[in-house]
Amino acid sequence: MHAILIGVDDYYRSTSLNYAGADVRLLKETLQTHCRCDSVYVMTQQGSPRDQPDFAKVLGALRDELHLANNGNYDSLLIFFAGHGLNHLDDGSLFLAPGDFIPGLEKQTCIPIALVRELLAHCDHIERKILILDSCHAGSKTDDREELRSQPTGGEIARQLGNPGGLITFASCRSEQSSIEWPQRRHGLVTFWMCVGLSGWADQETDGRRDGQIQVGELHQFVSKMVASTLDLFALRKGVRHPQQPDLIAPTSEHQTVIASVDHDSDSQAITSSLAKASRLIKLLRPEDAIVELENAMKLKPWDPEICAWKAKAHLHFYEKSKRSEHLATALADLDTAILLTEYLIKNRGRRDLSSDLRQYQIRREGLIAEYPEVAR
């Protein structure tokens, strides 16, 4: 697989985002670990000057990288875009907005979806093409004009993309919805859960077993469930539920396409040893070292709820030691993640034996929010 990952945080003439670059970094790591991704080209504002996601550079990179992929030894191509997506009311044209786009001059300064379709259509040597659009984080809008408020619908994207041979499109939300970020987790909501799903969580059980092959349809189902559960959680805290439903645009025949392969046989002895070591480090008032140990354990068993809960404990101790607010936010995000994934296991895999663990995580989260109510805002 060859991947082109574009994340735009800073918009010169529009509302900026916070975590598009972080989404790119997490997705890159996930693709290289679980999706046999041999080659990744990244464009973020944290990168080199030549890789800044401005109009001319993005346009040139898409043309060059797609040509390279089509003439290379790749069976799959993935394009990811995190940033503003625009729907122009005049003629319904859809655009991806680079960092230097100019409101009112979308056709001259944005990347048309129609052009993406044309470039993909020329990649006739590539069997499978995947487009992931996590657009309009935080419901951003550039001004008061209607054409810049709405997120393109799955149907609109499909109509303008057509079907350039084996194209699978994941869109982060549907008509007149916006795609939000998860501040405590410091990622876009959809991209985060997509990476968790690709790490193994989306692999559904059949007769109590998982085959280690994550299909397109399985990934979409997992992400949709986790986004809905997370939005329910946010609604309890804020009193209003944000409408967002991820969309999958692909022929039914493509839903069984394998997008990732994972090994579910983790080294339980190594994980137990890491948890014990992290516990000792916390007692020795070395939470920063405990976090490193737990991140290594997470590589063995990605997003395991118990490891997430231990990471929350380590980050809370690090906050008490350093008073750096990002550790307090991460502690809450890790507890939220542990709870949401444990609930998923109970509801979707019948793991009722985890009910007591779930309650313990919930009690710890309630205590954290009670002591530091600002963290949940």
Side-chain angles (χ1 to χ4, degrees):
M1 176 187 287
H2 181 62
I4 305 164
L5 312 181
I6 304 168
V8 188
D9 282 313
D10 298 323
Y11 280 91
Y12 311 145
R13 302 173 182 85
S14 178
T15 307
S16 290
L17 308 176
N18 298 299
Y19 310 117
D23 285 353
V24 164
R25 291 188 290 275
L26 179 61
L27 183 58
K28 177 184 177 182
E29 179 183 348
T30 303
L31 292 174
Q32 292 177 325
T33 304
H34 302 290
C35 299
R36 294 178 294 179
C37 190
D38 308 299
S39 175
V40 182
Y41 181 69
V42 167
M43 300 191 79
T44 68
Q45 281 145 336
Q46 295 78 35
S48 66
R50 69 177 292 272
D51 296 327
Q52 295 297 300
D54 294 334
F55 173 71
K57 293 172 183 174
V58 171
L59 187 59
L62 284 174
R63 287 173 169 157
D64 293 345
E65 292 297 316
L66 291 182
H67 177 77
L68 173 68
N70 193 48
N71 290 280
N73 190 26
Y74 301 108
D75 61 355
S76 303
L77 170 69
L78 184 146
I79 300 176
F80 171 79
F81 178 82
H84 289 322
L86 308 178
N87 186 349
H88 204 285
L89 191 61
D90 290 349
D91 58 9
S93 299
L94 308 182
F95 299 93
L96 305 178
D100 58 349
F101 96 96
I102 302 173
L105 295 176
E106 294 81 23
K107 292 185 178 181
Q108 292 81 21
T109 60
C110 292
I111 309 299
I113 285 286
L115 176 61
V116 176
R117 179 205 180 283
E118 179 183 337
L119 294 172
L120 287 170
H122 284 98
C123 295
D124 50 0
H125 295 161
I126 297 177
E127 179 181 350
R128 183 171 64 249
K129 303 156 192 173
I130 302 165
L131 178 64
I132 304 173
L133 302 175
D134 195 348
S135 303
C136 296
H137 289 304
S140 306
K141 60 182 182 179
T142 55
D143 57 23
D144 292 331
R145 292 182 303 138
E146 180 67 25
E147 64 265 32
L148 299 183
R149 294 182 185 174
S150 62
Q151 163 72 7
T153 68
E156 289 168 333
I157 294 172
R159 177 176 58 81
Q160 295 200 24
L161 279 172
N163 184 26
L167 179 64
I168 298 163
T169 302
F170 293 94
S172 60
C173 56
R174 298 182 180 178
S175 178
E176 298 182 5
Q177 296 179 346
S178 55
S179 184
I180 67 169
E181 295 179 321
W182 185 348
Q184 292 85 4
R185 188 80 273 173
R186 295 194 288 279
H187 282 292
L189 185 58
V190 165
T191 299
F192 173 73
W193 285 121
M194 181 167 286
C195 290
V196 173
L198 288 171
S199 73
W201 279 86
D203 189 11
Q204 295 182 6
E205 289 187 354
T206 302
D207 298 327
R209 299 186 63 184
R210 293 182 289 167
D211 63 5
Q213 305 293 307
I214 297 175
Q215 300 176 357
V216 166
E218 289 179 324
L219 180 61
H220 175 63
Q221 289 179 28
F222 173 79
V223 172
S224 296
K225 288 178 180 178
M226 298 313 298
V227 167
S229 297
T230 310
L231 292 173
D232 288 343
L233 170 64
F234 292 171
L236 289 174
R237 290 179 184 162
K238 301 181 181 299
V240 59
R241 193 182 192 284
H242 181 86
Q244 182 179 350
Q245 294 173 278
D247 208 358
L248 171 63
I249 308 154
T252 304
S253 59
E254 297 285 357
H255 288 203
Q256 295 183 338
T257 297
V258 174
I259 193 173
S261 299
V262 294
D263 182 2
H264 293 299
D265 295 327
S266 57
D267 189 340
S268 58
Q269 186 174 355
I271 293 171
T272 300
S273 176
S274 287
L275 295 181
K277 184 176 180 180
S279 178
R280 292 194 299 271
L281 289 168
I282 291 173
K283 291 177 182 177
L284 292 171
L285 304 180
R286 293 168 54 192
E288 60 273 32
D289 295 328
I291 291 169
V292 173
E293 186 66 32
L294 292 165
E295 287 175 345
N296 290 332
M298 191 77 80
K299 294 176 183 177
L300 299 174
K301 196 172 184 181
W303 302 106
D304 176 71
E306 184 180 10
I307 300 175
C308 287
W310 271 102
K311 281 184 75 252
K313 185 174 184 178
H315 277 287
L316 181 57
H317 278 270
F318 201 3
Y319 168 74
E320 292 169 348
K321 178 180 179 179
S322 66
K323 298 305 178 183
R324 290 164 55 184
S325 59
E326 63 266 26
H327 291 288
L328 190 61
T330 301
L332 178 59
D334 282 334
L335 280 174
D336 283 341
T337 303
I339 289 167
L340 290 164
L341 288 173
T342 303
E343 290 175 339
Y344 175 83
L345 290 173
I346 293 171
K347 293 177 183 177
N348 295 279
R349 297 185 187 165
R351 293 291 307 276
R352 294 181 180 82
D353 58 301
L354 297 175
S355 297
S356 59
D357 291 344
L358 175 62
R359 186 55 191 147
Q360 287 300 314
Y361 302 153
Q362 291 170 332
I363 290 171
R364 288 174 56 185
R365 182 176 66 185
E366 291 165 6
L368 174 63
I369 294 176
E371 186 171 359
Y372 304 103
E374 69 277 8
V375 73
R377 293 174 187 153

